[in-house]
């Protein structure tokens, strides 16, 4: 059956044309018997109806052999090609192969991230060792500003959070140990947990969420605004200018915040012990002094600079990876928080196993 198209195929006539297309769609159409030479005006809506009626391949063949205006041929061919791509059936994928491929892709991405992080750590350490022996190249103002932002401003939230967690740990310890008549050991539980783990872990996680995201957003915004390119154009090293002061500031402030977290957590436990267990502060301090060795404090405080270095490096690296849009800034800010918290918990687990095997 030959089919001739004539008149205007535009959005204004879309409803009427669509009904005609639906009525004629079931008929067998031969691509050699399509006549499009009498078409009037055609827009994308009309071209989509033509494709719907005769198919993309048949329409493209008919248009190429017609004497339509060049603009009309180009419009119809473009719409038909786009719809032909959309209409291609999705190939069936073996779910097992898809799972294996997805797992391999994720492992490859993790390996790539680890490789980038290792390279950036090496670049940061190299720059740090080059700058430290040269006081004239120290960025004192940036360092002090970073210390104020990462340390002083974070002090209240760290103290409050660790105080509350210390109270919760004391409540839990008292509840469990009461069945054994050993509530006095709640003091040991609180002091031991905060000196070795909770003090540094809570402070590091808070800084990972608060400070690493700030570093990423700041450096990412600078990259979006092409300020990093301007820094390089001036002959300055962005790592020296932006990363080193932040890394040093974090390595100074996190041990201080860790110490504050330890003290606040133990104070929270002491308050609970005094209220619910009737253990006075003097007895609480005497138990801590008698049973809790200095090694536990050194183990906890010794992990703080390592966590601080990793958090700062990850936050800065994600900022440098921003591609140049506001969406990219948000994505990498989220990624920096997730990676920082993951690395902190992973290293803390490894350190706990190591110190346990060493008997420290």
């Amino acid at each position: 059956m030959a089919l001739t198209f004539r008149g205007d195929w535009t959005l204004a006539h879309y409803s009427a044309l669509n009904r005609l297309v639906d009525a004629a769609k079931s008929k067998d159409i031969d691509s050699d018997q399509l006549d499009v030479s009498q078409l009037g005006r055609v827009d994308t809506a009309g071209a989509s109806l033509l494709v719907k009626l005769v198919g993309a391949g048949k329409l493209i063949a008919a248009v190429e052999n017609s004497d339509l205006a060049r603009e009309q041929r180009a419009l119809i061919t473009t719409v038909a090609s786009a719809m032909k791509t959309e209409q291609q059936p999705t190939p069936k994928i073996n779910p097992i192969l898809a799972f294996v491929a997805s797992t391999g892709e994720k492992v490859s991405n993790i390996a790539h991230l680890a490789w980038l992080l290792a390279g950036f750590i090496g670049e940061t350490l190299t720059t740090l060792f080059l700058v430290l022996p040269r006081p004239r190249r120290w960025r004192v103002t940036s360092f002090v500003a970073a210390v104020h932002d990462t340390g002083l401003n974070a002090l209240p939230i760290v103290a409050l959070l660790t105080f509350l967690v210390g109270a919760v740990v004391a409540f839990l310890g008292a509840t469990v140990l009461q069945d054994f008549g050993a509530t006095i050991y709640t003091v040991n539980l609180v002091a031991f947990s905060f000196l070795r783990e909770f003090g540094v872990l809570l402070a590091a996680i808070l800084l990972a969420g608060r400070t690493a995201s700030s570093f990423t957003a700041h450096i990412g915004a600078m990259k979006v605004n092409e300020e990093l390119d301007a820094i390089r154009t001036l002959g300055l090293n962005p790592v020296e200018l932006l990363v080193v002061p932040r890394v040093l500031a974090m390595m100074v402030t996190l041990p201080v915040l860790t110490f504050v977290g330890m003290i606040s957590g133990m104070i929270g436990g002491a308050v609970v012990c005094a209220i619910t267990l009737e253990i006075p502060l003097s007895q609480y301090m005497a138990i801590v002094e008698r049973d809790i060795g200095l090694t536990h404090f050194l183990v906890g405080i010794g992990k703080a600079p390592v966590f601080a270095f990793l958090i700062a490096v990850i936050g800065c690296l994600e900022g440098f990876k921003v591609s140049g849009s506001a969406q990219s800034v948000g994505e990498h800010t989220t990624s920096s928080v997730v990676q920082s918290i993951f690395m902190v918990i992973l290293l803390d687990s490894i350190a706990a196993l190591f110190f346990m095997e060493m008997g420290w």
Side-chain angles (χ1 to χ4, degrees):
M1 177 181 177
L3 188 63
T4 302
F5 300 101
R6 62 169 60 91
D8 296 337
W9 287 63
T10 59
L11 183 61
H13 309 95
Y14 185 85
S15 298
L17 291 171
N18 191 34
R19 288 193 296 269
L20 293 175
V21 168
D22 290 337
K25 190 176 178 182
S26 60
K27 298 181 180 179
D28 186 19
I29 304 299
D30 188 355
S31 61
D32 295 333
Q33 300 179 10
L34 295 180
D35 184 8
V36 295
S37 60
Q38 300 182 37
L39 278 174
R41 292 183 301 162
V42 181
D43 59 10
T44 54
S48 65
L49 289 176
L50 294 173
V51 175
K52 180 181 177 182
L53 177 59
V54 301
K58 295 180 180 180
L59 183 61
I60 292 175
V63 168
E64 290 178 350
N65 297 325
S66 68
D67 56 354
L68 289 175
R70 181 173 58 85
E71 294 81 4
Q72 288 181 309
R73 291 200 306 269
L75 173 64
I76 296 174
T77 302
T78 302
V79 173
S81 300
M83 295 183 67
K84 182 179 180 181
T85 303
E86 294 176 357
Q87 293 172 356
Q88 290 180 349
T90 303
K92 294 183 179 180
I93 301 176
N94 189 324
I96 298 178
L97 294 179
F99 174 76
V100 173
S102 176
T103 303
E105 183 180 2
K106 291 177 181 178
V107 172
S108 177
N109 291 336
I110 293 174
H112 181 65
L113 289 175
W115 181 262
L116 288 178
L117 180 61
F120 192 73
I121 289 176
E123 184 178 1
T124 302
L125 290 175
T126 301
T127 306
L128 187 64
F129 291 142
L130 289 176
V131 170
L132 287 180
R134 299 171 175 81
R136 292 185 178 181
R137 297 176 63 175
W138 292 358
R139 306 288 175 176
V140 179
T141 304
S142 300
F143 171 76
V144 173
V147 168
H148 179 271
D149 181 52
T150 61
L152 186 61
N153 291 343
L155 192 61
I157 185 64
V158 171
L160 177 61
L161 179 65
T162 50
F163 176 86
L164 296 176
V165 173
V168 171
V169 171
F171 270 121
L172 293 175
T175 302
V176 174
L177 296 174
Q178 187 175 8
D179 297 336
F180 303 95
T183 54
I184 192 66
Y185 289 102
T186 303
V187 179
N188 301 67
L189 173 65
V190 173
F192 185 83
S193 60
F194 270 88
L195 288 177
R196 290 187 69 97
E197 297 294 338
F198 285 163
V200 62
L201 196 60
L202 291 175
I205 290 175
L206 277 176
L207 284 190
R210 181 184 181 277
T211 306
S213 59
S214 175
F215 289 173
T216 303
H218 187 193
I219 297 177
M222 294 181 67
K223 187 170 183 180
V224 171
N225 296 329
E226 299 182 353
E227 296 178 38
L228 296 182
D229 296 333
I231 290 174
R232 294 188 179 94
T233 303
L234 293 173
L236 301 175
N237 185 359
V239 176
E240 177 183 344
L241 190 66
L242 301 174
V243 178
V244 170
R246 287 172 167 82
V247 170
L248 293 177
M250 283 284 288
M251 294 180 68
V252 169
T253 56
L254 186 55
V256 176
L257 293 176
T258 298
F259 179 76
V260 172
M262 293 175 178
I263 300 301
S264 299
M266 294 174 65
I267 291 175
V271 171
V272 172
C273 289
I275 295 175
T276 62
L277 304 180
E278 297 181 355
I279 300 176
L281 182 60
S282 58
Q283 184 180 3
Y284 184 94
M285 295 304 299
I287 294 173
V288 171
E289 182 180 2
R290 182 192 65 199
D291 297 339
I292 307 300
L294 182 63
T295 304
H296 304 308
F297 170 77
L298 295 178
V299 166
I301 205 73
K303 293 185 287 188
V306 180
F307 292 169
F309 180 82
L310 281 175
I311 292 170
V313 167
I314 291 174
C316 295
L317 173 60
E318 291 298 314
F320 282 108
K321 288 164 62 178
V322 171
S323 61
S325 64
Q327 180 181 359
S328 180
V329 174
E331 291 174 353
H332 286 285
T333 299
T334 304
S335 178
S336 69
V337 175
V338 173
Q339 291 184 45
S340 300
I341 295 177
F342 174 78
M343 290 299 296
V344 165
I345 297 177
L346 176 64
L347 288 181
D348 187 70
S349 303
I350 296 173
L353 293 174
F354 174 77
F355 291 137
M356 181 181 67
E357 291 296 328
M358 296 297 294
W360 294 348

